[in-house]
Amino acid sequence: MTLKLCKSVFVVEPSLCATLWPLWLELAMRFILTLMTFAVIAGCAGEPKHPTWKNATGAEQHERLMWQAVRDKDWANVERHLSPTFTGVTADGRLFDRAGWLEQWKSSEMREFSLGEVQTQPEGIDMKVTYIFHGQTSAKALLTSSGLRVVSVWQDVRGRWMLSAISMTPIQTQ
């Protein structure tokens, strides 16, 4: 009985080369396919459970993070994610630039907020977010009891999502 090398597999019988080689190839292909499947599943695990500015995957998460930063008085992150050319319109129709918007929210005490009926839509390279905003602040003029309809536009600026425009409209009750 002699051992013969059959494509890097030692076999006792040379005629087994023809039988073992296809089986070895099939086993290797299944192993590679299994690894690729696990890699895809791990990469597509969905949205993070606790999004942060670094791992947020969409405009809705960025919107929520912005309001959390306002509530938590994290002004560094609010400023970092407001576009230099930002424009905001409050529920009472006042127009603000970036600096005015920051001062408006710094002077009001945001206690809590909620977003409902959130919809995101791509607008070219930008993202448009629409939702209903409810919140409690010390500045009653900023909010209404029936909520606000909000439209905001987020832009990807050199790999960082920035809020470039926001408009808040009071919801009219019947």
Side-chain angles (χ1 to χ4, degrees):
M1 185 184 318
T2 61
L3 290 177
K4 183 173 179 163
L5 182 64
C6 175
K7 300 195 183 197
S8 76
V9 177
F10 285 99
V11 293
V12 177
E13 187 65 37
S15 64
L16 288 178
C17 283
T19 306
L20 290 179
W21 183 247
L23 292 174
W24 185 86
L25 271 176
E26 183 179 346
L27 182 64
M29 293 301 287
R30 285 183 185 208
F31 179 74
I32 290 170
L33 184 61
T34 302
L35 284 178
M36 289 172 51
T37 301
F38 282 127
V40 167
I41 290 171
C44 299
E47 296 181 353
K49 290 183 180 179
H50 303 289
T52 64
W53 289 109
K54 290 184 181 180
N55 71 3
T57 58
E60 178 180 349
Q61 289 179 345
H62 282 90
E63 194 75 35
R64 289 183 189 280
L65 288 167
M66 180 63 81
W67 288 115
Q68 286 172 7
V70 169
R71 180 195 61 205
D72 299 342
K73 298 178 178 63
D74 182 4
W75 304 118
N77 267 319
V78 173
E79 288 184 51
R80 191 174 297 121
H81 293 92
L82 279 182
S83 168
T85 59
F86 172 83
T87 300
V89 179
T90 59
D92 58 1
R94 291 183 291 156
L95 178 67
F96 291 96
D97 63 359
R98 185 177 192 270
W101 189 259
L102 283 166
E103 285 308 311
Q104 175 75 13
W105 288 104
K106 284 181 181 182
S107 67
S108 67
E109 182 87 19
M110 171 78 71
R111 289 185 285 280
E112 63 181 70
F113 72 93
S114 66
L115 308 182
E117 299 182 27
V118 180
Q119 295 181 351
T120 59
Q121 300 163 329
E123 293 286 336
I125 60 171
D126 304 332
M127 290 296 288
K128 180 175 61 178
V129 185
T130 59
Y131 56 94
I132 294 176
F133 179 87
H134 289 277
Q136 291 182 355
T137 70
S138 59
K140 300 292 184 206
L142 293 177
L143 304 174
T144 65
S145 60
S146 58
L148 302 171
R149 174 71 61 189
V150 179
V151 178
S152 63
V153 178
W154 289 81
Q155 294 180 318
D156 184 5
V157 180
R158 293 187 296 274
R160 179 187 302 157
W161 283 97
M162 301 183 90
L163 182 59
S164 63
I166 190 167
S167 179
M168 305 173 124
T169 306
I171 296 174
Q172 302 296 320
T173 56
Q174 308 273 337

